[in-house]
PDB file of all heavy atoms in Angstrom:
ATOM      1  N   CYS O 308     -10.364  11.152 -16.865  1.00  0.00           N
ATOM      2  CA  CYS O 308      -9.545  11.358 -18.065  1.00  0.00           C
ATOM      3  C   CYS O 308     -10.037  10.463 -19.203  1.00  0.00           C
ATOM      4  O   CYS O 308      -9.235   9.912 -19.971  1.00  0.00           O
ATOM      5  CB  CYS O 308      -8.069  11.122 -17.775  1.00  0.00           C
ATOM      6  SG  CYS O 308      -7.419  12.106 -16.418  1.00  0.00           S
ATOM      7  N   GLN O 309     -11.339  10.271 -19.294  1.00  0.00           N
ATOM      8  CA  GLN O 309     -11.997   9.561 -20.387  1.00  0.00           C
ATOM      9  C   GLN O 309     -11.646   8.082 -20.520  1.00  0.00           C
ATOM     10  O   GLN O 309     -11.768   7.496 -21.593  1.00  0.00           O
ATOM     11  CB  GLN O 309     -11.722  10.276 -21.719  1.00  0.00           C
ATOM     12  CG  GLN O 309     -12.369  11.658 -21.765  1.00  0.00           C
ATOM     13  CD  GLN O 309     -11.808  12.529 -22.867  1.00  0.00           C
ATOM     14  OE1 GLN O 309     -11.646  12.061 -23.985  1.00  0.00           O
ATOM     15  NE2 GLN O 309     -11.516  13.765 -22.531  1.00  0.00           N
ATOM     16  N   SER O 310     -11.170   7.494 -19.425  1.00  0.00           N
ATOM     17  CA  SER O 310     -10.959   6.050 -19.452  1.00  0.00           C
ATOM     18  C   SER O 310     -11.169   5.510 -18.040  1.00  0.00           C
ATOM     19  O   SER O 310     -11.125   6.261 -17.062  1.00  0.00           O
ATOM     20  CB  SER O 310      -9.542   5.725 -19.951  1.00  0.00           C
ATOM     21  OG  SER O 310      -8.586   6.367 -19.140  1.00  0.00           O
ATOM     22  N   ALA O 311     -11.403   4.220 -17.968  1.00  0.00           N
ATOM     23  CA  ALA O 311     -11.621   3.608 -16.652  1.00  0.00           C
ATOM     24  C   ALA O 311     -10.308   3.581 -15.878  1.00  0.00           C
ATOM     25  O   ALA O 311      -9.269   3.160 -16.408  1.00  0.00           O
ATOM     26  CB  ALA O 311     -12.165   2.194 -16.826  1.00  0.00           C
ATOM     27  N   ASP O 312     -10.350   4.026 -14.646  1.00  0.00           N
ATOM     28  CA  ASP O 312      -9.158   3.968 -13.796  1.00  0.00           C
ATOM     29  C   ASP O 312      -8.871   2.514 -13.416  1.00  0.00           C
ATOM     30  O   ASP O 312      -9.792   1.717 -13.217  1.00  0.00           O
ATOM     31  CB  ASP O 312      -9.374   4.764 -12.507  1.00  0.00           C
ATOM     32  CG  ASP O 312      -9.277   6.268 -12.728  1.00  0.00           C
ATOM     33  OD1 ASP O 312      -9.029   6.682 -13.870  1.00  0.00           O
ATOM     34  OD2 ASP O 312      -9.451   7.014 -11.748  1.00  0.00           O
ATOM     35  N   MET O 313      -7.588   2.204 -13.284  1.00  0.00           N
ATOM     36  CA  MET O 313      -7.202   0.865 -12.823  1.00  0.00           C
ATOM     37  C   MET O 313      -7.131   0.917 -11.294  1.00  0.00           C
ATOM     38  O   MET O 313      -6.063   0.826 -10.686  1.00  0.00           O
ATOM     39  CB  MET O 313      -5.847   0.474 -13.438  1.00  0.00           C
ATOM     40  CG  MET O 313      -5.511  -1.002 -13.286  1.00  0.00           C
ATOM     41  SD  MET O 313      -3.878  -1.344 -13.936  1.00  0.00           S
ATOM     42  CE  MET O 313      -4.177  -1.447 -15.690  1.00  0.00           C
ATOM     43  N   THR O 314      -8.301   1.063 -10.683  1.00  0.00           N
ATOM     44  CA  THR O 314      -8.347   1.287  -9.222  1.00  0.00           C
ATOM     45  C   THR O 314      -7.801   0.108  -8.424  1.00  0.00           C
ATOM     46  O   THR O 314      -7.435   0.264  -7.264  1.00  0.00           O
ATOM     47  CB  THR O 314      -9.791   1.536  -8.754  1.00  0.00           C
ATOM     48  OG1 THR O 314     -10.573   0.357  -9.027  1.00  0.00           O
ATOM     49  CG2 THR O 314     -10.421   2.710  -9.494  1.00  0.00           C
ATOM     50  N   MET O 315      -7.795  -1.058  -9.066  1.00  0.00           N
ATOM     51  CA  MET O 315      -7.342  -2.261  -8.358  1.00  0.00           C
ATOM     52  C   MET O 315      -5.825  -2.436  -8.423  1.00  0.00           C
ATOM     53  O   MET O 315      -5.283  -3.435  -7.980  1.00  0.00           O
ATOM     54  CB  MET O 315      -8.054  -3.515  -8.898  1.00  0.00           C
ATOM     55  CG  MET O 315      -7.847  -3.840 -10.351  1.00  0.00           C
ATOM     56  SD  MET O 315      -8.525  -2.608 -11.515  1.00  0.00           S
ATOM     57  CE  MET O 315     -10.270  -2.640 -11.157  1.00  0.00           C
ATOM     58  N   ASN O 316      -5.140  -1.425  -8.929  1.00  0.00           N
ATOM     59  CA  ASN O 316      -3.675  -1.491  -8.977  1.00  0.00           C
ATOM     60  C   ASN O 316      -3.092  -1.189  -7.588  1.00  0.00           C
ATOM     61  O   ASN O 316      -3.599  -0.330  -6.870  1.00  0.00           O
ATOM     62  CB  ASN O 316      -3.143  -0.484 -10.001  1.00  0.00           C
ATOM     63  CG  ASN O 316      -1.682  -0.719 -10.341  1.00  0.00           C
ATOM     64  OD1 ASN O 316      -0.797  -0.391  -9.562  1.00  0.00           O
ATOM     65  ND2 ASN O 316      -1.436  -1.303 -11.500  1.00  0.00           N
ATOM     66  N   TYR O 317      -2.015  -1.883  -7.254  1.00  0.00           N
ATOM     67  CA  TYR O 317      -1.388  -1.674  -5.943  1.00  0.00           C
ATOM     68  C   TYR O 317      -0.909  -0.239  -5.747  1.00  0.00           C
ATOM     69  O   TYR O 317      -0.707   0.198  -4.616  1.00  0.00           O
ATOM     70  CB  TYR O 317      -0.192  -2.617  -5.776  1.00  0.00           C
ATOM     71  CG  TYR O 317      -0.566  -4.078  -5.707  1.00  0.00           C
ATOM     72  CD1 TYR O 317      -0.143  -4.976  -6.685  1.00  0.00           C
ATOM     73  CD2 TYR O 317      -1.350  -4.555  -4.660  1.00  0.00           C
ATOM     74  CE1 TYR O 317      -0.476  -6.325  -6.622  1.00  0.00           C
ATOM     75  CE2 TYR O 317      -1.695  -5.898  -4.591  1.00  0.00           C
ATOM     76  CZ  TYR O 317      -1.259  -6.775  -5.577  1.00  0.00           C
ATOM     77  OH  TYR O 317      -1.600  -8.098  -5.499  1.00  0.00           O
ATOM     78  N   MET O 318      -0.738   0.501  -6.835  1.00  0.00           N
ATOM     79  CA  MET O 318      -0.217   1.856  -6.699  1.00  0.00           C
ATOM     80  C   MET O 318      -1.313   2.920  -6.676  1.00  0.00           C
ATOM     81  O   MET O 318      -1.047   4.101  -6.829  1.00  0.00           O
ATOM     82  CB  MET O 318       0.825   2.142  -7.791  1.00  0.00           C
ATOM     83  CG  MET O 318       2.023   1.194  -7.769  1.00  0.00           C
ATOM     84  SD  MET O 318       2.693   0.806  -6.128  1.00  0.00           S
ATOM     85  CE  MET O 318       3.506   2.353  -5.709  1.00  0.00           C
ATOM     86  N   ASP O 319      -2.573   2.486  -6.453  1.00  0.00           N
ATOM     87  CA  ASP O 319      -3.642   3.443  -6.160  1.00  0.00           C
ATOM     88  C   ASP O 319      -3.793   3.498  -4.632  1.00  0.00           C
ATOM     89  O   ASP O 319      -2.941   2.956  -3.910  1.00  0.00           O
ATOM     90  CB  ASP O 319      -4.935   3.028  -6.885  1.00  0.00           C
ATOM     91  CG  ASP O 319      -5.835   4.235  -7.185  1.00  0.00           C
ATOM     92  OD1 ASP O 319      -5.826   5.199  -6.392  1.00  0.00           O
ATOM     93  OD2 ASP O 319      -6.557   4.203  -8.198  1.00  0.00           O
ATOM     94  N   TYR O 320      -4.866   4.128  -4.130  1.00  0.00           N
ATOM     95  CA  TYR O 320      -5.028   4.350  -2.684  1.00  0.00           C
ATOM     96  C   TYR O 320      -6.198   3.623  -2.052  1.00  0.00           C
ATOM     97  O   TYR O 320      -6.689   4.018  -1.013  1.00  0.00           O
ATOM     98  CB  TYR O 320      -5.233   5.845  -2.438  1.00  0.00           C
ATOM     99  CG  TYR O 320      -3.979   6.639  -2.214  1.00  0.00           C
ATOM    100  CD1 TYR O 320      -2.725   6.040  -2.241  1.00  0.00           C
ATOM    101  CD2 TYR O 320      -4.040   8.002  -1.953  1.00  0.00           C
ATOM    102  CE1 TYR O 320      -1.579   6.776  -2.032  1.00  0.00           C
ATOM    103  CE2 TYR O 320      -2.905   8.753  -1.736  1.00  0.00           C
ATOM    104  CZ  TYR O 320      -1.681   8.133  -1.777  1.00  0.00           C
ATOM    105  OH  TYR O 320      -0.560   8.864  -1.562  1.00  0.00           O
ATOM    106  N   VAL O 321      -6.655   2.569  -2.697  1.00  0.00           N
ATOM    107  CA  VAL O 321      -7.863   1.889  -2.238  1.00  0.00           C
ATOM    108  C   VAL O 321      -7.586   1.003  -1.016  1.00  0.00           C
ATOM    109  O   VAL O 321      -6.425   0.849  -0.597  1.00  0.00           O
ATOM    110  CB  VAL O 321      -8.467   1.049  -3.388  1.00  0.00           C
ATOM    111  CG1 VAL O 321      -8.902   1.961  -4.524  1.00  0.00           C
ATOM    112  CG2 VAL O 321      -7.456   0.017  -3.891  1.00  0.00           C
ATOM    113  N   TYR O 322      -8.649   0.424  -0.443  1.00  0.00           N
ATOM    114  CA  TYR O 322      -8.489  -0.493   0.682  1.00  0.00           C
ATOM    115  C   TYR O 322      -7.630  -1.690   0.271  1.00  0.00           C
ATOM    116  O   TYR O 322      -7.579  -2.078  -0.902  1.00  0.00           O
ATOM    117  CB  TYR O 322      -9.851  -1.037   1.131  1.00  0.00           C
ATOM    118  CG  TYR O 322     -10.791  -0.036   1.751  1.00  0.00           C
ATOM    119  CD1 TYR O 322     -12.156  -0.302   1.786  1.00  0.00           C
ATOM    120  CD2 TYR O 322     -10.331   1.149   2.324  1.00  0.00           C
ATOM    121  CE1 TYR O 322     -13.045   0.592   2.371  1.00  0.00           C
ATOM    122  CE2 TYR O 322     -11.210   2.048   2.906  1.00  0.00           C
ATOM    123  CZ  TYR O 322     -12.565   1.774   2.921  1.00  0.00           C
ATOM    124  OH  TYR O 322     -13.447   2.648   3.490  1.00  0.00           O
ATOM    125  N   ASP O 323      -7.030  -2.310   1.274  1.00  0.00           N
ATOM    126  CA  ASP O 323      -6.145  -3.446   1.018  1.00  0.00           C
ATOM    127  C   ASP O 323      -6.796  -4.539   0.162  1.00  0.00           C
ATOM    128  O   ASP O 323      -6.173  -5.061  -0.778  1.00  0.00           O
ATOM    129  CB  ASP O 323      -5.679  -4.067   2.343  1.00  0.00           C
ATOM    130  CG  ASP O 323      -4.527  -3.281   2.974  1.00  0.00           C
ATOM    131  OD1 ASP O 323      -4.294  -2.132   2.554  1.00  0.00           O
ATOM    132  OD2 ASP O 323      -3.887  -3.826   3.889  1.00  0.00           O
ATOM    133  N   ASP O 324      -8.059  -4.887   0.484  1.00  0.00           N
ATOM    134  CA  ASP O 324      -8.706  -5.978  -0.250  1.00  0.00           C
ATOM    135  C   ASP O 324      -9.139  -5.576  -1.656  1.00  0.00           C
ATOM    136  O   ASP O 324      -9.623  -6.416  -2.421  1.00  0.00           O
ATOM    137  CB  ASP O 324      -9.941  -6.485   0.520  1.00  0.00           C
ATOM    138  CG  ASP O 324      -9.538  -7.460   1.615  1.00  0.00           C
ATOM    139  OD1 ASP O 324      -8.368  -7.901   1.617  1.00  0.00           O
ATOM    140  OD2 ASP O 324     -10.395  -7.780   2.458  1.00  0.00           O
ATOM    141  N   CYS O 325      -8.994  -4.302  -1.982  1.00  0.00           N
ATOM    142  CA  CYS O 325      -9.474  -3.821  -3.277  1.00  0.00           C
ATOM    143  C   CYS O 325      -8.334  -3.549  -4.251  1.00  0.00           C
ATOM    144  O   CYS O 325      -8.547  -3.039  -5.354  1.00  0.00           O
ATOM    145  CB  CYS O 325     -10.351  -2.588  -3.052  1.00  0.00           C
ATOM    146  SG  CYS O 325     -11.686  -2.980  -1.900  1.00  0.00           S
ATOM    147  N   MET O 326      -7.117  -3.874  -3.850  1.00  0.00           N
ATOM    148  CA  MET O 326      -5.958  -3.744  -4.762  1.00  0.00           C
ATOM    149  C   MET O 326      -5.359  -5.118  -4.998  1.00  0.00           C
ATOM    150  O   MET O 326      -5.112  -5.868  -4.062  1.00  0.00           O
ATOM    151  CB  MET O 326      -4.913  -2.764  -4.216  1.00  0.00           C
ATOM    152  CG  MET O 326      -4.564  -2.852  -2.747  1.00  0.00           C
ATOM    153  SD  MET O 326      -3.151  -1.794  -2.284  1.00  0.00           S
ATOM    154  CE  MET O 326      -3.745  -0.146  -2.562  1.00  0.00           C
ATOM    155  N   TYR O 327      -5.198  -5.484  -6.256  1.00  0.00           N
ATOM    156  CA  TYR O 327      -4.718  -6.840  -6.523  1.00  0.00           C
ATOM    157  C   TYR O 327      -3.963  -7.011  -7.839  1.00  0.00           C
ATOM    158  O   TYR O 327      -3.908  -8.110  -8.387  1.00  0.00           O
ATOM    159  CB  TYR O 327      -5.865  -7.856  -6.442  1.00  0.00           C
ATOM    160  CG  TYR O 327      -7.227  -7.334  -6.845  1.00  0.00           C
ATOM    161  CD1 TYR O 327      -7.577  -7.226  -8.183  1.00  0.00           C
ATOM    162  CD2 TYR O 327      -8.147  -6.925  -5.885  1.00  0.00           C
ATOM    163  CE1 TYR O 327      -8.825  -6.739  -8.551  1.00  0.00           C
ATOM    164  CE2 TYR O 327      -9.398  -6.433  -6.242  1.00  0.00           C
ATOM    165  CZ  TYR O 327      -9.732  -6.342  -7.573  1.00  0.00           C
ATOM    166  OH  TYR O 327     -10.959  -5.844  -7.934  1.00  0.00           O
ATOM    167  N   MET O 328      -3.392  -5.959  -8.380  1.00  0.00           N
ATOM    168  CA  MET O 328      -2.583  -6.196  -9.593  1.00  0.00           C
ATOM    169  C   MET O 328      -1.479  -5.163  -9.812  1.00  0.00           C
ATOM    170  O   MET O 328      -1.579  -4.005  -9.404  1.00  0.00           O
ATOM    171  CB  MET O 328      -3.479  -6.216 -10.848  1.00  0.00           C
ATOM    172  CG  MET O 328      -4.095  -4.875 -11.204  1.00  0.00           C
ATOM    173  SD  MET O 328      -5.030  -4.906 -12.776  1.00  0.00           S
ATOM    174  CE  MET O 328      -3.706  -4.955 -13.994  1.00  0.00           C
ATOM    175  N   PHE O 329      -0.399  -5.637 -10.444  1.00  0.00           N
ATOM    176  CA  PHE O 329       0.592  -4.795 -11.113  1.00  0.00           C
ATOM    177  C   PHE O 329       0.408  -5.041 -12.605  1.00  0.00           C
ATOM    178  O   PHE O 329      -0.172  -6.049 -13.006  1.00  0.00           O
ATOM    179  CB  PHE O 329       2.024  -5.196 -10.731  1.00  0.00           C
ATOM    180  CG  PHE O 329       2.443  -4.838  -9.336  1.00  0.00           C
ATOM    181  CD1 PHE O 329       2.789  -5.831  -8.425  1.00  0.00           C
ATOM    182  CD2 PHE O 329       2.523  -3.511  -8.928  1.00  0.00           C
ATOM    183  CE1 PHE O 329       3.198  -5.515  -7.133  1.00  0.00           C
ATOM    184  CE2 PHE O 329       2.937  -3.176  -7.633  1.00  0.00           C
ATOM    185  CZ  PHE O 329       3.262  -4.184  -6.742  1.00  0.00           C
TER     186      PHE O 329
END
Side-chain angles (χ1 to χ4, degrees):
C308 305
Q309 294 164 45
S310 57
D312 284 359
M313 193 184 280
T314 63
M315 61 295 298
N316 193 284
Y317 294 116
M318 301 318 287
D319 207 328
Y320 270 0
V321 297
Y322 293 159
D323 280 15
D324 278 348
C325 305
M326 44 172 65
Y327 31 80
M328 68 175 286
F329 288 118

